[in-house]
Amino acid sequence: MKLSTILATGITLSCLSVNALALTIGFAQVGSESGWRTSFSESVKAEAKKRGIDLKFSDAQQKQENQIKAVRSFIAQGVDAIIIAPVVETGWKPVLREAKRARIPVVIVDRNIQVGDDSLFVTRIASDFSEEGRKAAQWLMDTTQGNCKIVELQGTVGATAAIDRAQGFNDVIGKYPNANIVRSQTGEFTRTKGKEVMESILKAENGGKGVCALWAHNDEMALGGIQAIKEAGLKPGSDILVVSVDGVPDYFKAMADGDANATVELSPHLGGPAFDVIEKYLGGDKNIPKLISTTGDLFTQDTAAAEYQKRRLQ
Ligand code: GYE
């Protein structure tokens, strides 16, 4: 018998007994636009399998309308809980109200939502994206003595990770009069678009001469940018410094090869904390903070080879 049916009878369960019951959970994932996203999805699926959770997984291919359709399908199936990794912050209120009416708890992971009513979700589990931007910027200012002409590859327009990483980065460089961003454009968090946009930025910036650094909101776009810098006849990692966020294996390889300089690691392991919250909530414990946040360390070339060896086999 599905847990939601049992709960509807008014029987209360201890947290332990919820663990023991086979939960059915819907997970509306953004897509598979980056290595980090793929690791995140694989980690959630593995964790669900380990816990005996029946996971209904949906890949929205970076389209919010697909995510909303998936959430409506989870509601129609009567799942015990729903996890959403929202592609953008706005447009979620109607479907979250439908989940609330169906008495299905929703947990937000990764990016944020703007709904003005925090009764529509149990909690958000995410990294502090602003802190990631601050760490990346501080490394660049320390490395260049605050004297740097920067080009920026932004993430998906309207996505919390893009908004907050930009804000954190700008807060730091704003303290350095000789550091500024001269070009900024979205590369949509993908390697292909990152390369394409960086090619156009380099053309607009005298072939990249005088550009001190590339700041990318994720490693995938940075790796595309690195390719564009090479094809423009410049050396990424030295002619143009490269700093990013995520900490995917390919980027550690690029740092070990001298083509990139620094990244702030973003853990892809959000499934465990999300399932813990759901089991706690369904077990009757409603004392859950509205934000459970983490942040990662900054990694540079000096440890990249060893870190790559550790990550490439995972
Ligand atoms: O940095 C990027 C993915 O939302 C924090 O989305 C996440 C970002 C991550 O496309 O690789």
Side-chain angles (χ1 to χ4, degrees), residues 33-34 36-37 110-111 129 161 165 189 217-218 246 266:
E33 75 283 357
S34 71
W36 179 84
R37 182 73 55 193
D110 181 17
R111 303 173 191 175
F129 301 135
R165 283 172 183 165
F189 281 129
H217 291 184
N218 82 329
D246 275 356
L266 170 68

mmCIF file of all heavy atoms in Angstrom, residues 33-34 36-37 110-111 129 161 165 189 217-218 246 266, ligand 1:
data_model
loop_
_atom_site.group_PDB
_atom_site.id
_atom_site.type_symbol
_atom_site.label_atom_id
_atom_site.label_comp_id
_atom_site.label_asym_id
_atom_site.label_seq_id
_atom_site.Cartn_x
_atom_site.Cartn_y
_atom_site.Cartn_z
ATOM 1 N N GLU A 33 22.620 19.116 -19.377
ATOM 2 C CA GLU A 33 23.393 20.162 -20.073
ATOM 3 C C GLU A 33 24.852 20.209 -19.675
ATOM 4 O O GLU A 33 25.677 20.824 -20.369
ATOM 5 C CB GLU A 33 22.727 21.529 -19.842
ATOM 6 C CG GLU A 33 22.927 22.125 -18.452
ATOM 7 C CD GLU A 33 22.049 21.496 -17.370
ATOM 8 O OE1 GLU A 33 21.215 20.624 -17.671
ATOM 9 O OE2 GLU A 33 22.231 21.877 -16.201
ATOM 10 N N SER A 34 25.192 19.597 -18.515
ATOM 11 C CA SER A 34 26.591 19.697 -18.073
ATOM 12 C C SER A 34 27.019 18.400 -17.390
ATOM 13 O O SER A 34 26.177 17.613 -16.925
ATOM 14 C CB SER A 34 26.745 20.869 -17.101
ATOM 15 O OG SER A 34 26.118 20.578 -15.857
ATOM 16 N N TRP A 36 28.334 18.236 -14.546
ATOM 17 C CA TRP A 36 27.869 18.293 -13.153
ATOM 18 C C TRP A 36 26.432 17.791 -13.069
ATOM 19 O O TRP A 36 26.071 16.990 -12.225
ATOM 20 C CB TRP A 36 27.956 19.719 -12.606
ATOM 21 C CG TRP A 36 27.455 19.786 -11.204
ATOM 22 C CD1 TRP A 36 28.165 19.506 -10.081
ATOM 23 C CD2 TRP A 36 26.121 20.057 -10.783
ATOM 24 N NE1 TRP A 36 27.338 19.593 -8.966
ATOM 25 C CE2 TRP A 36 26.090 19.943 -9.371
ATOM 26 C CE3 TRP A 36 24.937 20.395 -11.442
ATOM 27 C CZ2 TRP A 36 24.937 20.159 -8.620
ATOM 28 C CZ3 TRP A 36 23.773 20.614 -10.698
ATOM 29 C CH2 TRP A 36 23.782 20.491 -9.311
ATOM 30 N N ARG A 37 25.578 18.234 -13.964
ATOM 31 C CA ARG A 37 24.145 17.846 -13.937
ATOM 32 C C ARG A 37 24.007 16.332 -14.082
ATOM 33 O O ARG A 37 23.228 15.689 -13.372
ATOM 34 C CB ARG A 37 23.408 18.560 -15.070
ATOM 35 C CG ARG A 37 21.924 18.292 -15.139
ATOM 36 C CD ARG A 37 21.122 18.951 -14.082
ATOM 37 N NE ARG A 37 21.327 20.387 -14.017
ATOM 38 C CZ ARG A 37 20.932 21.161 -13.024
ATOM 39 N NH1 ARG A 37 20.296 20.622 -11.992
ATOM 40 N NH2 ARG A 37 21.165 22.450 -13.026
ATOM 41 N N ASP A 110 19.088 22.397 -5.558
ATOM 42 C CA ASP A 110 19.930 23.121 -6.516
ATOM 43 C C ASP A 110 19.404 24.548 -6.646
ATOM 44 O O ASP A 110 19.416 25.301 -5.668
ATOM 45 C CB ASP A 110 19.924 22.336 -7.840
ATOM 46 C CG ASP A 110 20.773 22.951 -8.917
ATOM 47 O OD1 ASP A 110 21.633 23.791 -8.604
ATOM 48 O OD2 ASP A 110 20.533 22.625 -10.093
ATOM 49 N N ARG A 111 18.940 24.978 -7.830
ATOM 50 C CA ARG A 111 18.531 26.375 -8.013
ATOM 51 C C ARG A 111 17.258 26.705 -7.213
ATOM 52 O O ARG A 111 16.565 25.801 -6.760
ATOM 53 C CB ARG A 111 18.290 26.641 -9.505
ATOM 54 C CG ARG A 111 19.507 26.320 -10.361
ATOM 55 C CD ARG A 111 19.209 26.411 -11.844
ATOM 56 N NE ARG A 111 20.294 25.857 -12.633
ATOM 57 C CZ ARG A 111 20.254 25.719 -13.966
ATOM 58 N NH1 ARG A 111 19.176 26.124 -14.640
ATOM 59 N NH2 ARG A 111 21.273 25.196 -14.618
ATOM 60 N N PHE A 129 25.441 29.857 -3.978
ATOM 61 C CA PHE A 129 26.026 30.244 -5.261
ATOM 62 C C PHE A 129 26.761 31.586 -5.156
ATOM 63 O O PHE A 129 27.779 31.809 -5.823
ATOM 64 C CB PHE A 129 24.941 30.334 -6.342
ATOM 65 C CG PHE A 129 24.173 29.068 -6.567
ATOM 66 C CD1 PHE A 129 22.786 29.080 -6.683
ATOM 67 C CD2 PHE A 129 24.824 27.847 -6.660
ATOM 68 C CE1 PHE A 129 22.073 27.903 -6.898
ATOM 69 C CE2 PHE A 129 24.125 26.672 -6.866
ATOM 70 C CZ PHE A 129 22.746 26.702 -6.985
ATOM 71 N N ALA A 161 21.644 30.014 -10.150
ATOM 72 C CA ALA A 161 23.108 29.835 -10.167
ATOM 73 C C ALA A 161 23.769 30.958 -10.961
ATOM 74 O O ALA A 161 24.826 31.466 -10.581
ATOM 75 C CB ALA A 161 23.457 28.481 -10.779
ATOM 76 N N ARG A 165 25.815 33.704 -8.718
ATOM 77 C CA ARG A 165 27.267 33.651 -8.946
ATOM 78 C C ARG A 165 27.763 34.989 -9.480
ATOM 79 O O ARG A 165 28.802 35.501 -9.062
ATOM 80 C CB ARG A 165 27.615 32.507 -9.914
ATOM 81 C CG ARG A 165 27.571 31.159 -9.244
ATOM 82 C CD ARG A 165 27.727 29.981 -10.188
ATOM 83 N NE ARG A 165 27.588 28.737 -9.432
ATOM 84 C CZ ARG A 165 27.384 27.554 -9.978
ATOM 85 N NH1 ARG A 165 27.301 27.443 -11.302
ATOM 86 N NH2 ARG A 165 27.265 26.479 -9.235
ATOM 87 N N PHE A 189 25.140 27.427 -19.835
ATOM 88 C CA PHE A 189 25.729 26.339 -19.052
ATOM 89 C C PHE A 189 26.223 25.176 -19.907
ATOM 90 O O PHE A 189 26.518 24.102 -19.359
ATOM 91 C CB PHE A 189 24.728 25.799 -18.006
ATOM 92 C CG PHE A 189 24.590 26.651 -16.767
ATOM 93 C CD1 PHE A 189 23.332 27.043 -16.315
ATOM 94 C CD2 PHE A 189 25.698 27.062 -16.042
ATOM 95 C CE1 PHE A 189 23.182 27.832 -15.170
ATOM 96 C CE2 PHE A 189 25.575 27.843 -14.895
ATOM 97 C CZ PHE A 189 24.303 28.224 -14.458
ATOM 98 N N HIS A 217 30.443 30.713 -15.371
ATOM 99 C CA HIS A 217 29.560 30.275 -14.280
ATOM 100 C C HIS A 217 29.523 28.760 -14.130
ATOM 101 O O HIS A 217 28.897 28.259 -13.200
ATOM 102 C CB HIS A 217 28.137 30.804 -14.495
ATOM 103 C CG HIS A 217 28.010 32.283 -14.346
ATOM 104 N ND1 HIS A 217 26.808 32.930 -14.413
ATOM 105 C CD2 HIS A 217 28.943 33.243 -14.154
ATOM 106 C CE1 HIS A 217 27.002 34.240 -14.263
ATOM 107 N NE2 HIS A 217 28.273 34.455 -14.116
ATOM 108 N N ASN A 218 30.080 28.020 -15.073
ATOM 109 C CA ASN A 218 30.299 26.581 -14.825
ATOM 110 C C ASN A 218 31.433 26.050 -15.672
ATOM 111 O O ASN A 218 31.824 26.660 -16.679
ATOM 112 C CB ASN A 218 29.006 25.770 -15.019
ATOM 113 C CG ASN A 218 28.705 25.421 -16.464
ATOM 114 O OD1 ASN A 218 29.056 26.161 -17.384
ATOM 115 N ND2 ASN A 218 28.047 24.287 -16.665
ATOM 116 N N ASP A 246 32.033 24.293 -10.379
ATOM 117 C CA ASP A 246 31.485 22.930 -10.473
ATOM 118 C C ASP A 246 32.486 21.889 -10.006
ATOM 119 O O ASP A 246 32.170 21.018 -9.224
ATOM 120 C CB ASP A 246 31.011 22.539 -11.901
ATOM 121 C CG ASP A 246 29.586 22.982 -12.211
ATOM 122 O OD1 ASP A 246 28.928 23.535 -11.300
ATOM 123 O OD2 ASP A 246 29.149 22.793 -13.345
ATOM 124 N N LEU A 266 31.297 22.116 -6.606
ATOM 125 C CA LEU A 266 29.863 22.048 -6.280
ATOM 126 C C LEU A 266 29.513 20.576 -6.157
ATOM 127 O O LEU A 266 29.618 19.821 -7.117
ATOM 128 C CB LEU A 266 29.052 22.689 -7.411
ATOM 129 C CG LEU A 266 27.542 22.497 -7.355
ATOM 130 C CD1 LEU A 266 26.938 23.245 -6.176
ATOM 131 C CD2 LEU A 266 26.912 22.999 -8.649
HETATM 132 O O1 GYE B 1 26.727 24.839 -12.002
HETATM 133 C C1 GYE B 1 25.779 23.786 -13.956
HETATM 134 C C2 GYE B 1 24.379 23.295 -14.263
HETATM 135 O O2 GYE B 1 22.289 24.838 -11.156
HETATM 136 C C3 GYE B 1 24.299 24.975 -9.873
HETATM 137 O O3 GYE B 1 23.528 24.072 -13.413
HETATM 138 C C4 GYE B 1 23.604 24.345 -11.072
HETATM 139 C C5 GYE B 1 24.305 24.636 -12.350
HETATM 140 C C6 GYE B 1 25.707 24.019 -12.485
HETATM 141 O O4 GYE B 1 24.062 23.460 -15.587
HETATM 142 O O5 GYE B 1 26.762 22.872 -14.370
#
